[in-house]
Amino acid sequence: MSIVTDSTGRIREITQELENTRNELSMALAKPECSGGAPDSERTRITDLHRRINGALSALHGEARDW
C-alpha cells in the first residue's frame, strides 16, 4: 500500500470520527438543559469545540478533494 493511499484512508477515518463528534456536540447544544440550564462557561466550551471541529473538517475535506 502506498503512503498516499494509506494517508487518504486515515484522513477518511479521522473525518468520520470528527463528524460523529460534531454531531454529538450538535445534539448536546440542542438539548434544553444545555440551551437554558447549563452554565454559560460549559455552553461556551461546547460551542467553541463545535466551531473548531467544523474548521478541522473543512480542512480535511479540502485535503481529501485535492487527493
Side-chain angles (χ1 to χ4, degrees), residues 28-59:
L29 287 169
K31 289 183 179 178
E33 58 268 16
C34 189
S35 61
D40 287 340
S41 62
E42 183 177 343
R43 181 165 177 76
T44 300
R45 288 175 60 195
I46 293 171
T47 302
D48 185 53
L49 183 56
H50 189 272
R51 179 186 54 78
R52 289 175 185 224
I53 289 174
N54 276 333
L57 283 169
S58 292

Side-chain angles (χ1 to χ4, degrees), residues 1-14 67:
M1 190 179 270
S2 75
I3 187 87
V4 172
T5 303
D6 190 41
S7 296
T8 303
R10 186 68 184 129
I11 287 172
R12 285 189 189 113
E13 291 173 14
I14 292 167
W67 289 21

